[in-house]
Amino acid sequence: MKKFKISLVAQIAIALLLGFIVGIFMQDCADVAKMYIKPIGDIFLNLLKFIVVPLVLLSIVCSIISMKDIKSLGRLGVRSLLYFMVTTVLAVTMGLVVSTSLSGYFPSLELVKAAEEIEAPTITLMDQVVNFFPKNMIDPLLNNAMMQVIVIAIMLGFAIVKVGEKAAPVARLIEGLNEVTVTILGYIMAIAPLGVFCLLCPVVAENGTKILGTYASLIGVTYLCFVIHAVVVYSGAVAVLAKMNPLRFFKHMGPAMLFAYSSDSSLATLPVNMKCNEKLGVRESIRNFVLPMGATINMDGVAIYLGVTAVFIAKCCGVELGMGQYMSIAFACTVASIGTPGIPGGALALMAMVFASAGIPLEGVALVAGIDRIVDMGRTTMSVTGDASCAVVMEHLERNNKNL
């Protein structure tokens, strides 16, 4: 008899459902879930973070080596960057428009000062550009500075292609290390359903339904924007630019989207996203280049959330926003989303900058910090889906050598 086997997407979906159910029943003993269940999820997340840096570094270098055409690679990079920038601007704009239209549903909350002083980071676009380039080759690998790791990988790959035959032993070594890394990744993914359950259960147990009710309007508007962006922008891009049925796209992206929702980390989801893109027919050379770049600089979900939250806090605090402030928020959200770490809670680190750009009280960060994890799961899913949509679009354009 044929052995029955449950697919990865089904396993993760079941783990996700069980995590919600068990978490609801453990609301009265959230400390137990946090103390005994969460550590198992943290172990799984740590293993993924452990493999992400070598996976990104080696896969990009191998991608460049396999293409052997620096001109084609440069075209792919420019196209991908343009795609990410356009979708981010659309995400911010849509978030501001929808949240402003529905701002009448936002409550008036008493502004309570945060327990500790909140300072707005002053980060400009040029600061972000400068931070892309590493001071040395070791620190980015140790500190998970993914954009700097990508820069290192690109320079290393270009150099190997340029040197040619003399660098062949180095190329074979890197390709061998990449195969070893992928094998280790397979071992880690074998426990993915358990990791998903242990990551989600404590979150539901700790937050319960009370905090969701208090901020239902913010959560609802944010997720509404996520759905609109996915249906309109991503489906449209996949259908028009990649000539692919959006239903097929989302069907094969199921495991990555579910994993992103539960793990709350675009970087941790990167290995799963690569597997899904393989099923979507994206060549290894393209997915190994586009997806790590997207996991680092493409944060459409963050851009939407920052825009919606800025309008939410402004409404709650009685701050009237003018066109100039909306423009400031849009620019700050775009810059901040590009620099947001692909880790849980990364958006909170730059939310104060967005608030300061429009004169919104910085203490508002404390008001939304409690639901950040709940919304972060959705915005991570959005960002991961955006990375994949770019990959399938680039696959179609490169295969047919068309312009955007």
Side-chain angles (χ1 to χ4, degrees):
M1 294 180 63
K2 187 176 180 180
K3 188 176 180 180
F4 178 74
K5 184 178 180 181
I6 303 177
S7 65
L8 179 62
V9 62
Q11 293 179 42
I12 294 178
I14 292 171
L16 200 65
L17 180 61
L18 289 176
F20 271 114
I21 295 174
V22 176
I24 290 174
F25 281 105
M26 294 189 70
Q27 289 182 71
D28 294 332
C29 53
D31 291 341
V32 175
K34 190 174 182 180
M35 185 176 298
Y36 296 105
I37 297 179
K38 185 175 181 294
I40 300 175
D42 290 340
I43 290 173
F44 174 65
L45 204 56
N46 287 344
L47 288 173
L48 283 172
K49 292 177 181 178
F50 145 76
I51 205 64
V52 159
V53 171
L55 181 68
V56 170
L57 178 66
L58 297 171
S59 64
I60 290 180
V61 175
C62 288
S63 174
I64 295 173
I65 293 173
S66 64
M67 294 184 76
K68 297 181 181 179
D69 185 353
I70 296 179
K71 183 179 178 181
S72 297
L73 189 65
R75 182 177 64 242
L76 176 62
V78 171
R79 284 175 168 176
S80 300
L81 184 60
L82 179 61
Y83 181 92
F84 290 142
M85 291 302 298
V86 169
T87 58
T88 299
V89 171
L90 290 175
V92 174
T93 303
M94 189 268 299
L96 290 174
V97 170
V98 173
S99 59
T100 301
S101 301
L102 300 176
S103 60
Y105 294 98
F106 292 156
S108 295
L109 301 176
E110 182 181 352
L111 186 62
V112 181
K113 282 189 174 290
E116 28 182 81
E117 193 70 20
I118 301 176
E119 296 182 2
T122 54
I123 302 177
T124 66
L125 180 60
M126 291 311 299
D127 289 334
Q128 297 287 54
V129 174
V130 171
N131 290 334
F132 286 168
F133 297 90
K135 297 177 182 178
N136 60 66
M137 291 189 65
I138 305 301
D139 285 347
L141 304 179
L142 296 177
N143 299 320
N144 285 353
M146 297 311 299
M147 193 62 226
Q148 295 184 6
V149 171
I150 290 175
V151 171
I152 292 173
I154 291 174
M155 290 192 292
L156 185 58
F158 279 174
I160 292 175
V161 172
K162 182 68 175 178
V163 172
E165 189 61 32
K166 291 183 179 179
V170 179
R172 287 195 296 270
L173 174 62
I174 291 177
E175 289 169 349
L177 289 173
N178 187 50
E179 289 295 326
V180 172
T181 302
V182 171
T183 301
I184 296 175
L185 173 61
Y187 299 151
I188 297 173
M189 290 309 300
I191 61 171
L194 176 63
V196 166
F197 171 84
C198 294
L199 285 170
L200 190 60
C201 177
V203 174
V204 177
E206 187 174 2
N207 291 289
T209 57
K210 182 179 179 181
I211 194 169
L212 298 182
T214 304
Y215 294 95
S217 57
L218 174 59
I219 297 172
V221 171
T222 303
Y223 273 87
L224 174 63
C225 291
F226 290 162
V227 173
I228 294 174
H229 192 67
V231 171
V232 176
V233 177
Y234 294 153
S235 295
V238 167
V240 175
L241 299 178
K243 308 300 180 185
M244 178 183 292
N245 188 330
L247 294 178
R248 176 177 174 242
F249 171 77
F250 284 108
K251 176 184 177 182
H252 287 294
M253 277 299 296
M257 294 174 71
L258 289 173
F259 189 85
Y261 189 81
S262 57
S263 70
D264 197 20
S265 172
S266 54
L267 287 176
T269 311
L270 181 58
V272 188
N273 205 3
M274 287 186 170
K275 294 282 187 182
C276 292
N277 273 260
E278 182 179 1
K279 292 182 179 180
L280 285 168
V282 180
R283 282 170 290 174
E284 183 178 7
S285 59
I286 292 180
R287 66 175 183 265
N288 286 352
F289 184 83
V290 173
L291 295 180
M293 178 190 295
T296 305
I297 67 173
N298 178 45
M299 300 289 172
D300 288 355
V302 174
I304 290 173
Y305 177 61
L306 290 177
V308 173
T309 304
V311 175
F312 175 81
I313 295 298
K315 176 65 167 59
C316 292
C317 300
V319 176
E320 293 293 333
L321 298 177
M323 183 55 66
Q325 289 168 302
Y326 277 117
M327 295 294 290
S328 297
I329 292 173
F331 177 76
C333 287
T334 302
V335 175
S337 64
I338 293 174
T340 303
I343 56 176
L348 279 179
L350 295 174
M351 188 179 291
M353 181 188 78
V354 175
F355 286 3
S357 69
I360 299 172
L362 299 183
E363 293 83 4
V365 176
L367 289 177
V368 297
I371 62 165
D372 183 70
R373 180 63 192 265
I374 302 297
V375 180
D376 200 3
M377 295 187 293
R379 65 181 182 240
T380 300
T381 305
M382 287 299 302
S383 299
V384 167
T385 308
D387 299 343
S389 70
C390 179
V392 297
V393 168
M394 294 306 119
E395 167 66 29
H396 180 77
L397 294 177
E398 288 296 315
R399 191 175 295 277
N400 295 277
N401 197 20
K402 295 178 179 179
N403 294 319
L404 278 173

